[in-house]
Amino acid sequence: MDLKLSDEDVAFRDTVRRFIDDKLPADIRDKVENGLNLEKEDFVTWQKILHTQGWVAPNWPKELGGTGWTPIQRFIFDEEMARGSTPPIIPFGLGMVGPVIIAFGSDEQKAQYLPRILATDDWWCQGYSEPGSGSDLASLKTKAVADGDDYIVTGAKTWTTMAQWADMMFCLVRTSDEGKRQDGISFIVFDMKSDGVTVKPIQTFDGGFEVNEVFLDEVRVPQANRIGEENKGWTYAKFLLSHERTGIAAVGRSKKQIERLKAIACAERSGTGTLMEDRRFREKVAAVEIDTLALESVVLKVISEEAAGRPPGPESSILKIKGTEIQQDITELLVEAVGYYAAPYVPEALDAGWNEAPVGPKHAAPLAPHYFNWRKASIYGGTNEIQKNIIAKMMLGL
Ligand SMILES: Cc1cc2nc3c(=O)[nH]c(=O)nc-3n(C[C@H](O)[C@H](O)[C@H](O)COP(=O)(O)OP(=O)(O)OC[C@H]3O[C@@H](n4cnc5c(N)ncnc54)[C@H](O)[C@@H]3O)c2cc1C
């Protein structure tokens, strides 16, 4: 394994750093840095800036709009995005359905969808989970019944992230009840403005609205919108989930959050000094930082393997578990750092431009909402318990 940055990689890192410093709009950087709410516009604006530069889809083949970067350059790019406080790239189009269409879509589908995904002209959402079908996804019941050249789709999806902003959904549907459950699933895409689609928000623990129920009532979807073969959707879904897990380690974002934690701990008083001078607190910060650096070396090892032509397998599950545990530990320490000033619930304080006097230090307002919100990380993308099952089965042979 070769983990040292070459001179070229260092030059690449400096180019990316300069680009982000120059091009990221100040108001968006400010929101990310201060943990404030991001609007759809903020994500779209940043993705369009990256698209103009040709950098929005590092994981796509170069001839279809990718960058042709090495795995280590992709890692550097992610690190620099986090370091520069950019919004994350929203994965549903570029990281999920895009690669599925590239791998399994027809030429017409590639021509129809890929340019719009690259340009973030469409916002996509992921319709996998259903009430009663989460970890056991193959039990999904949303039905697609053939009717001439169309399917009539009826059922309910849930936890659909940002469906309230979505133009398009990629969706797993049941097209057969014969044989194994996995063999009766198809992968379709449709317009969220289709008749029969209803989006209902679900309020999360932190008071925010990012997930939804989506009801599908006899939605007419052309069969031409099916990606790949009928009843082969499970294969495509699994392909997509492996993409989802690799990015979930989010080491760069955790490193940035640790910096923020240290800055807050230096600003907070404890006894006669600062909280950062408190030995017990410092030890906790050190522990999470060591975990993050250890995870980073595992990520680099996976990247180094990938560069040598060995794509990640069940190692992705380790990255997911440890990455999300670290993200959650950091949110916990941030709350601890401000003590009872984390308690007041002032949702308006998370909106840019809110200018009332904060309760306690300004940095305290988003910390408890983030703590509660990040409980999600060990659930989405396949729960951490399910990841442990994968490790037990695939790596330990149990
Ligand atoms: C914030 C958020 C955003 C999401 N966004 C999306 C989205 O955009 N699109 C989408 O399709 N889905 C989305 N999901 C859904 C997510 O994928 C599911 O919540 C997840 O797969 C778990 O399913 P479930 O909620 O039905 O829980 P269940 O599967 O009912 O699990 C309940 C508990 O039992 C445990 N468990 C279940 N089976 C086993 C087992 N075999 N062994 C050990 N433990 C087990 C689980 O780990 C969990 O702790 C999102 C979820 C969250 C929280």
Side-chain angles (χ1 to χ4, degrees):
M1 160 168 101
D2 181 9
L3 299 181
K4 254 183 67 207
L5 290 192
S6 66
D7 290 348
E8 278 151 38
D9 289 335
V10 171
F12 172 80
R13 184 195 64 195
D14 293 344
T15 306
V16 174
R17 192 170 290 182
R18 258 196 316 277
F19 175 82
I20 292 172
D21 286 349
D22 288 352
K23 300 288 182 192
L24 177 65
D27 60 322
I28 300 181
R29 175 180 294 123
D30 190 58
K31 286 184 191 176
V32 175
E33 245 161 33
N34 293 300
L36 304 181
N37 292 331
L38 288 164
E39 306 298 328
K40 178 178 181 181
E41 275 312 298
D42 298 324
F43 292 104
V44 173
T45 299
W46 177 235
Q47 289 187 189
K48 282 189 177 288
I49 290 170
L50 287 176
H51 175 52
T52 306
Q53 178 73 3
W55 286 359
V56 80
N59 58 330
W60 287 26
K62 197 163 186 327
E63 62 281 10
L64 292 173
T67 53
W69 291 338
T70 61
I72 188 76
Q73 286 176 322
R74 297 212 301 264
F75 174 79
I76 292 169
F77 178 69
D78 285 347
E79 286 255 301
E80 289 304 313
M81 292 256 289
R83 184 187 167 279
S85 299
T86 74
I89 293 180
I90 295 298
F92 304 110
L94 290 153
M96 296 184 181
V97 73
V100 170
I101 294 172
I102 289 170
F104 306 106
S106 65
D107 288 344
E108 293 75 34
Q109 289 168 337
K110 287 178 192 165
Q112 183 177 353
Y113 300 118
L114 298 184
R116 295 186 61 82
I117 293 175
L118 276 177
T120 318
D121 286 338
D122 291 324
W123 188 288
W124 286 76
C125 65
Q126 177 187 26
Y128 276 25
S129 306
E130 299 183 2
S133 300
S135 303
D136 184 19
L137 191 56
S139 68
L140 64 89
K141 293 191 179 61
T142 294
K143 248 190 158 23
V145 179
D147 181 44
D149 290 339
D150 298 334
Y151 288 119
I152 307 291
V153 181
T154 302
K157 296 289 169 181
T158 193
W159 310 121
T160 321
T161 300
M162 295 167 183
Q164 75 273 28
W165 292 344
D167 304 295
M168 297 289 296
M169 174 183 271
F170 60 91
C171 185
L172 293 181
V173 292
R174 183 154 299 287
T175 36
S176 167
D177 288 316
E178 309 280 307
K180 257 177 71 187
R181 299 179 308 172
Q182 285 83 347
D183 295 340
I185 292 172
S186 298
F187 189 109
I188 60 169
V189 302
F190 58 82
D191 191 325
M192 289 291 280
K193 287 188 291 302
S194 309
D195 286 344
V197 178
T198 309
V199 177
K200 273 195 168 178
I202 302 172
Q203 190 169 25
T204 41
F205 207 14
D206 58 320
F209 290 95
E210 66 183 63
V211 286
N212 302 271
E213 292 176 281
V214 180
F215 297 98
L216 306 171
D217 184 14
E218 301 195 346
V219 181
R220 189 167 278 278
V221 179
Q223 293 204 23
N225 285 22
R226 190 188 63 237
I227 309 296
E229 289 179 54
E230 192 171 71
N231 297 328
K232 290 275 161 59
W234 191 250
T235 310
Y236 317 140
K238 279 199 304 195
F239 168 87
L240 183 152
L241 283 175
S242 72
H243 274 248
E244 189 181 0
R245 278 177 205 132
T246 327
I248 246 163
V251 169
R253 303 251 162 215
S254 289
K255 280 163 71 178
K256 182 77 184 178
Q257 285 300 88
I258 290 172
E259 257 179 45
R260 183 155 171 252
L261 172 64
K262 287 181 181 170
I264 290 177
C266 286
E268 291 292 325
R269 307 296 309 165
S270 171
T272 54
T274 70
L275 182 61
M276 203 55 207
E277 286 159 349
D278 176 293
R279 197 172 135 229
R280 290 180 56 120
F281 195 79
R282 228 177 35 237
E283 279 171 6
K284 291 183 195 175
V285 176
V288 78
E289 194 164 18
I290 290 166
D291 273 358
T292 306
L293 293 176
L295 179 66
E296 184 177 35
S297 71
V298 180
V299 171
L300 287 166
K301 179 171 180 293
V302 171
I303 286 170
S304 168
E305 297 272 312
E306 210 183 333
R310 293 183 289 273
E315 293 88 348
S316 307
S317 296
I318 298 177
L319 302 185
K320 202 263 162 166
I321 294 171
K322 201 62 205 172
T324 53
E325 284 176 355
I326 288 170
Q327 289 156 37
Q328 293 182 340
D329 287 349
I330 297 170
T331 62
E332 202 172 316
L333 285 175
L334 281 162
V335 166
E336 193 179 327
V338 294
Y340 44 74
Y341 282 121
Y345 177 56
V346 189
E348 304 80 12
L350 303 192
D351 290 331
W354 190 76
N355 58 6
E356 293 210 14
V359 184
K362 193 162 173 261
H363 53 238
L367 301 181
H370 285 190
Y371 167 81
F372 288 121
N373 184 276
W374 279 97
R375 303 307 98 192
K376 69 188 177 186
S378 44
I379 302 173
Y380 60 37
T383 69
N384 285 14
E385 291 78 19
I386 293 298
Q387 303 304 328
K388 286 179 187 167
N389 286 351
I390 293 172
I391 293 168
K393 204 166 143 191
M394 311 281 289
M395 297 182 87
L396 306 177
L398 298 174

